[in-house]
Amino acid sequence: MKNCNFKTAKWCFATRRIDQNLAGGLCHDFSQTKPGDLILGRVKSIGNHRRIQLPEGRPSTLYPGDLVVLPCGARYAPDQFEGFAEIDEQCSDMLAGGGCIGRMVQRNERIKPPTRIQPLGRITSKDGTVLNTRDFALAKPTTTSQIPVICVVGTSMNSGKTTATAALAHGLTKAGWQAAVLKGTGTGAFGDYNAYTDTGASYVADFTDAGMVTTYKEPLHRIVEGIDTLLSEAETRDCNIAVMELADGIFQQETAAILATPSARSRFSKYLFACSDAVAAAGGVAELERNGIRPIALTGMLSCSPMAVNEAQIATGVQVLTKGQLLDPAYANTLAARTLMGRSALAA
Amino acid sequence: MLDTAMDVMPVSRPMSVTRVSVWSGRRQLHAEIRVPKTCSPDMPPLVALHGISRDAAGVAGAFSEPCASKGQVLITPLFTRENWSHFQRIGGYRPDRALLALLALVQQMGLARTDKVEMFGYSGGAQLAHRFAMLYPQRVAALHLAAAGWYCLPDLTQPFPMGLGPSETNLKTNIPALAHNQLRHFLALKLRVYVGAEDHHRDEALRKEPCIDDVQGRHRLARARYYCKAVRAAADARGVTADLSLCELPGCVHSFSDCAAAGLTGLVCSD
């Protein structure tokens, strides 16, 4: 593979910050593989992921024999796979469509086995250095950002967090805010990124811009450093408010750690909580209160049902906002006002 | 839904005039944007709202000269009767969203920065102007209200729309709660209230329900005075320093042209 033309490979979305021209060789020693190392692989068999998400924001159908470039990474996805950032040089698993390759340890029973990838090597630069997503991250901030942040958390995957995040970002933009829409944790994928971009927000980024293909199994300090990097970049780009989604549910280990650690959650001014029903709302609000957090509003799938809305508001005392209300600049503006008031109170 | 149409008129005057229109839902809002030949880039544009006679052209004509002299972009929306029969109210209708769409378009077209604007309204336009500012105070650099028929008071004891207390009817959008969240910011705005010193007639256009007469007064002059007192009291109660003045225009009845001739437009633009 000395003369491998890396550009013929399908590079995944999580590699989008990396200049493909830097790829100059392969390292065949997988024993030293670290999360974020770029792996060149050949598709051996098609499983759950039949397509790979490309950096330009479109999916590409995979065929056996295709060359792909995926960063090594872990995966936390209760509706798909759990996997670790480990490479089996005989055959590894494609853990996410936006990129990452690793070892699946368990899967949702409704999901097919993963697409299998034969690793060919770790991609190096011409001088032999293994290319790693960490080396292409935004610069680390030198000062603490002051931008007000509305943090969107939820009960689980598919509770409505991304819909709420995008709707609020659009509402804020309509109200005249220079909004940043950010994803603080999760696994690199273009679905959320594209949904954020479509809102017309002033700046969009996720943890891959901070050098992580996934935040699962990353140490808390590195995740928080990534969040700070994104917020600082948003401020540099003249954003005056940020909406940040934390992936998965509030019991997911990294999200739980962020919310339970005062020094980590101090970045967030206010919280929106997305959930599917009134019981989830009551449980989620109670769980958040254990960390001293009271969301400014509930949203998500719950908000589609007026009866569930009524039950949740009675059970929690927290207002439920629908997608339509988050899209409404007057509602978005009032959330911004309450976020700024919270910020002023903290500063005082 | 937002759609636009643009027609640039020949430039043969101190201000170049661009006509635009935006859609907000099913309703269309037209506007003219006048950009002075010498424009001060950091000066917020003036959005000047007509009254229920919908004489946007008259408003534009009255403000053209003072805005041109000042180097200030002038935006004059036209809420047509067919699309906006009650344009001064925010509730079932959402003229606020149409105005936001218009401001976004003006900025997208590069005609002016609209993250903040000075907002003027006469009569029904003043009603819309202060209601807009109550929802989006961060967009308003200065608020000029002239001869409003009545006001939404910053008073939680008055039911919406007379105040910010709960409405006695079901609202599609909870405007009083939304405005209440913005109240401190609104009360800190630069607010200039104008009214004709002779605007004390109970003409046909004036609302005369007891709920307004008994609290705000029986005519526009009394209501303007009451509004200023109410704003100052609300600001004081919240520890906010109000930046507020009331100007009673000598000899003026309820007429925009009379008020303009008495110096209203100059006062707005010189302040």
Side-chain angles (χ1 to χ4, degrees):
Chain A
M1 299 294 287
K2 193 175 178 183
N3 296 316
C4 176
N5 184 355
F6 292 97
K7 289 191 175 175
T8 63
K10 294 176 175 177
W11 292 58
C12 73
F13 181 71
T15 66
R16 70 184 185 282
R17 295 187 62 82
I18 299 170
D19 179 357
Q20 296 179 11
N21 293 312
L22 294 175
L26 287 175
C27 168
H28 301 287
D29 176 9
F30 289 105
S31 65
Q32 301 300 313
T33 303
K34 297 182 180 62
D37 283 355
L38 295 197
I39 308 294
L40 177 70
R42 181 185 289 123
V43 175
K44 187 177 176 191
S45 61
I46 303 297
N48 181 58
H49 288 107
R50 293 177 295 144
R51 302 196 291 183
I52 184 172
Q53 298 178 1
L54 302 179
E56 54 264 40
R58 75 168 182 90
S60 171
T61 300
L62 287 171
Y63 297 95
D66 278 355
L67 288 182
V68 291
V69 176
L70 305 163
C72 176
R75 181 84 204 270
Y76 173 94
D79 66 357
Q80 289 187 16
F81 307 120
E82 183 183 16
F84 297 151
E86 297 168 6
I87 298 298
D88 178 341
E89 56 190 279
Q90 297 304 311
C91 208
S92 289
D93 300 316
M94 183 173 173
L95 297 174
C100 69
I101 182 171
R103 179 171 68 86
M104 184 204 76
V105 292
Q106 53 183 334
R107 67 181 161 96
N108 188 301
E109 67 180 26
R110 291 178 298 178
I111 294 296
K112 288 180 184 171
T115 292
R116 302 281 282 162
I117 308 289
Q118 177 194 2
L120 301 173
R122 289 189 288 160
I123 299 176
T124 68
S125 59
K126 290 182 179 65
D127 68 5
T129 306
V130 174
L131 299 182
N132 187 292
T133 53
R134 179 196 290 258
D135 301 323
F136 298 87
L138 291 164
K140 289 178 186 168
T142 53
T143 56
T144 307
S145 70
Q146 299 298 316
I147 189 169
V149 184
I150 300 174
C151 177
V152 181
V153 291
T155 46
S156 64
M157 291 179 82
N158 304 320
S159 55
K161 297 183 299 295
T162 302
T163 299
T165 302
L168 177 57
H170 185 70
L172 289 169
T173 301
K174 287 275 185 198
W177 293 90
Q178 303 297 310
V181 202
L182 309 168
K183 191 156 185 185
T185 63
T187 301
F190 67 37
D192 293 356
Y193 191 94
N194 288 348
Y196 297 172
T197 302
D198 291 346
T199 66
S202 299
Y203 178 60
V204 172
D206 68 11
F207 45 85
T208 60
D209 292 294
M212 291 172 280
V213 59
T214 173
T215 53
Y216 186 42
K217 299 291 183 188
E218 288 287 343
L220 179 63
H221 71 84
R222 189 172 180 218
I223 297 171
V224 172
E225 190 179 270
I227 288 172
D228 285 340
T229 299
L230 302 181
L231 294 175
S232 175
E233 183 68 14
E235 220 167 36
T236 302
R237 292 168 182 251
D238 292 330
C239 293
N240 48 21
I241 196 163
V243 185
M244 177 173 281
E245 177 181 353
L246 297 184
D248 306 303
I250 54 176
F251 288 148
Q252 195 279 337
Q253 67 185 47
E254 283 80 22
T255 297
I258 291 169
L259 297 177
T261 307
S263 61
R265 68 170 186 258
S266 64
R267 279 104 186 128
F268 306 135
S269 320
K270 295 288 179 189
Y271 297 81
L272 268 184
F273 184 68
C275 51
S276 56
D277 56 51
V279 175
V285 168
E287 181 63 22
L288 289 171
E289 276 178 356
R290 288 180 56 221
N291 291 319
I293 295 168
R294 182 141 178 99
I296 44 173
L298 305 175
T299 186
M301 298 299 289
L302 160 84
S303 67
C304 299
S305 161
M307 288 183 285
V309 167
N310 196 35
E311 287 175 6
Q313 289 184 158
I314 290 169
T316 65
V318 182
Q319 186 180 11
V320 178
L321 295 180
T322 63
K323 177 184 170 185
Q325 287 170 321
L326 294 172
L327 286 165
D328 186 327
Y331 279 92
N333 208 37
T334 206
L335 292 182
R338 290 181 63 186
T339 302
L340 291 171
M341 271 193 276
R343 196 94 192 151
S344 308
L346 282 176
Chain B
M1 183 175 64
L2 175 67
D3 191 15
T4 64
M6 179 173 70
D7 176 19
V8 182
M9 292 168 64
V11 180
S12 59
R13 59 195 77 196
M15 311 263 266
S16 66
V17 183
T18 304
R19 288 180 180 153
V20 299
S21 58
V22 294
W23 286 91
S24 178
R26 289 177 291 109
R27 299 174 205 284
Q28 193 173 22
L29 173 65
H30 306 285
E32 290 185 351
I33 296 97
R34 287 172 166 75
V35 180
K37 278 184 178 168
T38 309
C39 191
S40 305
D42 295 331
M43 186 180 296
L46 177 67
V47 178
L49 301 173
H50 57 69
I52 56 168
S53 66
R54 298 165 204 267
D55 184 15
V59 172
F63 276 106
S64 283
E65 181 51 39
C67 283
S69 303
K70 196 178 170 188
Q72 186 173 30
V73 173
L74 172 64
I75 302 171
T76 48
L78 170 61
F79 290 90
T80 60
R81 203 175 304 277
E82 307 81 67
N83 279 311
W84 306 91
S85 56
H86 301 292
F87 74 96
Q88 63 271 47
R89 301 179 196 165
I90 298 175
Y93 285 0
R94 295 299 301 273
D96 58 318
R97 297 187 68 158
L99 283 175
L100 289 172
L102 173 63
L103 297 183
L105 178 63
V106 169
Q107 182 148 323
Q108 285 160 354
M109 290 171 65
L111 295 169
R113 282 196 60 173
T114 57
D115 44 348
K116 272 190 184 287
V117 297
E118 295 194 1
M119 188 157 273
F120 167 87
Y122 184 80
S123 191
Q127 292 187 42
L128 175 57
H130 81 284
R131 288 165 183 154
F132 179 90
M134 291 177 93
L135 290 177
Y136 312 100
Q138 85 280 8
R139 302 296 301 268
V140 180
L143 180 61
H144 301 270
L145 307 178
W150 58 289
Y151 299 85
C152 179
L153 300 171
D155 182 346
L156 299 175
T157 67
Q158 292 294 312
F160 183 80
M162 282 70 74
L164 294 180
S167 172
E168 288 161 357
T169 57
N170 275 337
L171 297 173
K172 188 176 168 193
T173 306
N174 196 349
I175 298 294
L178 297 174
H180 185 203
N181 275 308
Q182 306 284 358
L183 190 53
R184 286 181 65 86
H185 198 169
F186 171 78
L187 292 169
L189 287 180
K190 175 180 169 182
L191 172 60
R192 301 290 178 262
V193 181
Y194 313 85
V195 66
E198 307 303 322
D199 195 348
H200 45 59
H201 304 286
R202 286 169 68 80
D203 53 71
E204 262 185 30
L206 189 74
R207 283 186 61 173
K208 306 176 188 71
E209 295 93 324
C211 59
I212 299 175
D213 280 354
D214 294 349
V215 176
Q216 301 191 22
R218 290 176 55 78
H219 48 71
R220 294 183 188 85
L221 177 60
R223 291 174 185 181
R225 289 171 178 169
Y226 184 83
Y227 180 66
C228 291
K229 278 184 195 168
V231 169
R232 201 174 293 283
D236 288 347
R238 289 163 178 80
V240 175
T241 304
D243 179 3
L244 161 68
S245 68
L246 171 64
C247 177
E248 298 178 12
L249 299 162
C252 291
V253 292
H254 191 63
S255 157
F256 175 72
S257 55
D258 282 3
C259 291
L264 172 61
T265 51
L267 286 170
V268 170
C269 291
S270 65
D271 194 3

